[in-house]
Amino acid sequence: MKRSTFIRLALGASATMGAGLPSLAPAISRGEPTAEVPPLAKNRSLQLEIERSIEKGLAFLKSRQDPAGFWSSADYPALSGLVLLSFVNEPSGAIKTKQPDFVEKGYGYLMSCVKPDGGIYGKVLANYNTSVVVLALNAADPEKYGDTLRKARAFLVGQQNFYPRQDGKMNPYEGGIGYGDDGPHSDVSNTAFALEALRETRAVMEGHDVAAANDLNWDAALAFLQRCQNLPKANAQPWVTGDPKNLGGFIYTPIAGDNHAEDDMDGKKVPRSYGSMSYSGLLSYIYADLKKDDPRVTAVYDWLGRNYTVEENPGLGHSGLFYYYHAMSKALSTYGADTLALAGGKSANWRHDLALKLIDLQASEGSWVNAHSGRWWEKDPVLVTSYAVRALEMMHAGV
């Protein structure tokens, strides 16, 4: 398959993609410039399979757009943001270069969700929705959406939690970020999304008043993340045990009893490290500018290697499985890991393993859904297909 063939497939020249997606074939025949295509991979055969899987996934997502421009639910623009991230990051770059009408309509819907306070959300989950939509707008055209992005950045900075001390003690949620509308609460997942949005949009602040940006307190965010890592040398929270099973991994929040995965030990609730939060923690450390040799980074990286699998979300089973796949692909791609060191001196080609797993799990019509658990909306094929397509896109060039 020639590379130009995939450009045509991605934009609709195939039967599966043809419903309203323009083809670049005429432009190619006229010699007009088309999108840049990544260099050939080491495993071109697998790369072609990934391209085909992405193509089918995008065709499914296009078919599920509401006439009003959104996907899945008008109340949660993050769902549409994840879909649009999948379209503008498809490997040929053609959709980003010349957006089809349905993509433009989707971005119009996102802009209709912008609030006077700078946030971009429906009725709830203000931080989560704003963070994801910021990533989608920035990926499409940071210059066009610059003013919106700058206001949204200020909104996200304002989501960072700070509390009065109680009896001289700091609230463990201090410095982190939560959903944005659930009272005193911070968690690794929401913090990671916000940190990613802020890091990815730094360029939109160039030439603007930095003071007005009211930048995040990164030291406080880093301190919060440490309080969510099972690492005695960096975390003095009473639940931290340092047992080998959990050592180095991440939990959801720094307070025992407020986590998705906990074990009973000696009559106490002890948070259990698990995969999706550990990848989110690694990613957050990268955004906080920690180096690869920092003990906190090496500890979580080692935990991920010791618990490596594409069969489940380690520590949680099948709950949040596709969130786990998405977080794995994003974190290891950003980290720059081609392989992941495992126990016994072995290593895993994680891109190969995860790509084949996702291809195997894809339904014939192009969608994905968590067949084992509906937790965290993973029975919604739009959300789960977006996770899967984005994971494949991030792996595409490196296989």
Side-chain angles (χ1 to χ4, degrees):
M1 180 187 290
K2 295 182 180 180
R3 297 185 198 176
S4 59
T5 303
F6 177 65
I7 296 176
R8 293 196 298 274
L9 289 174
L11 290 186
S14 71
T16 59
M17 292 287 283
L21 292 177
S23 171
L24 283 190
I28 293 171
S29 66
R30 294 194 299 269
E32 295 177 5
T34 58
E36 292 288 335
V37 178
L40 294 181
K42 290 175 286 187
N43 188 341
R44 182 56 177 157
S45 175
L46 180 55
Q47 190 179 60
L48 287 171
E49 290 190 67
I50 291 173
E51 290 172 3
R52 174 61 174 162
S53 187
I54 291 171
E55 173 196 346
K56 291 170 61 181
L58 293 179
F60 171 79
L61 289 172
K62 181 186 180 299
S63 74
R64 297 298 291 264
Q65 187 180 28
D66 187 270
F70 64 85
W71 277 266
S72 198
S73 171
D75 293 329
Y76 299 93
L79 296 171
S80 297
L82 286 167
V83 172
L84 291 166
L85 276 168
S86 300
F87 278 106
V88 299
N89 284 292
E90 55 83 22
S92 77
I95 289 179
K96 182 174 182 177
T97 300
K98 186 177 181 181
Q99 291 184 5
D101 289 345
F102 80 93
V103 172
E104 290 188 359
K105 190 171 186 178
Y107 275 101
Y109 156 72
L110 292 185
M111 291 300 292
S112 75
C113 296
V114 176
K115 304 295 186 185
D117 61 10
I120 310 171
Y121 53 92
K123 298 177 181 178
V124 295
L125 311 184
N127 169 70
Y128 168 70
N129 282 284
T130 301
S131 296
V132 174
V133 173
V134 161
L135 292 171
L137 295 175
N138 189 65
D141 193 335
E143 184 174 353
K144 176 180 179 180
Y145 298 114
D147 287 342
T148 300
L149 290 170
R150 283 184 282 274
K151 293 175 183 176
R153 280 176 57 90
F155 175 82
L156 291 175
V157 168
Q159 295 296 300
Q160 190 172 27
N161 289 317
F162 295 98
Y163 307 96
R165 294 189 175 240
Q166 297 286 338
D167 299 324
K169 295 180 180 180
M170 176 186 292
N171 188 313
Y173 292 137
E174 180 97 355
I177 299 172
Y179 283 108
D181 52 8
D182 54 353
H185 169 83
S186 302
D187 62 76
V188 172
S189 179
N190 277 290
T191 300
F193 275 116
L195 296 188
E196 181 182 11
L198 292 169
R199 278 300 188 196
E200 291 295 320
T201 56
R202 283 179 296 181
V204 304
M205 297 308 303
E206 294 178 3
H208 294 266
D209 185 358
V210 175
N214 186 25
D215 199 11
L216 193 80
N217 184 330
W218 287 89
D219 290 338
L222 182 57
F224 168 76
L225 292 167
Q226 288 179 202
R227 290 193 291 275
C228 297
Q229 187 175 18
N230 264 302
L231 191 62
K233 293 182 179 179
N235 189 354
Q237 296 299 299
W239 54 265
V240 180
T241 63
D243 66 290
K245 182 178 70 173
N246 289 310
L247 185 64
F250 272 78
I251 64 173
Y252 183 60
T253 77
I255 297 179
D258 190 25
N259 281 275
H260 302 306
E262 298 191 334
D263 296 318
D264 288 314
M265 296 179 64
D266 299 325
K268 298 180 181 179
K269 291 288 187 181
V270 178
R272 184 170 66 246
S273 297
Y274 63 98
S276 49
M277 283 308 99
S278 295
Y279 277 117
S280 295
L282 173 63
L283 191 63
S284 297
Y285 276 162
I286 296 171
Y287 293 142
D289 288 333
L290 294 191
K291 305 302 181 184
K292 289 183 177 181
D293 60 356
D294 186 287
R296 294 161 291 184
V297 176
T298 58
V300 63
Y301 192 75
D302 289 346
W303 186 92
L304 291 165
R306 296 195 310 272
N307 293 274
Y308 171 76
T309 179
V310 296
E311 299 303 321
E312 63 177 12
N313 182 357
L316 277 185
H318 288 99
S319 295
L321 181 62
F322 284 84
Y323 180 102
Y324 167 72
Y325 291 152
H326 179 257
M328 174 193 288
S329 187
K330 186 185 296 184
L332 293 180
S333 296
T334 305
Y335 182 91
D338 290 325
T339 59
L340 191 62
L342 309 181
K346 298 180 180 180
S347 63
N349 183 337
W350 66 271
R351 291 188 182 92
H352 175 273
D353 296 345
L354 181 54
L356 290 181
K357 171 55 71 173
L358 287 171
I359 290 169
D360 184 55
L361 292 174
Q362 188 173 26
S364 59
E365 82 277 13
S367 69
W368 283 268
V369 70
N370 190 330
H372 301 283
S373 173
R375 199 170 186 186
W376 300 307
W377 298 12
E378 291 207 353
K379 290 297 185 183
D380 181 349
V382 168
L383 173 65
V384 176
T385 300
S386 298
Y387 281 155
V389 169
R390 283 296 297 127
L392 289 168
E393 288 171 346
M394 288 183 279
M395 291 186 283
H396 173 264
V399 295

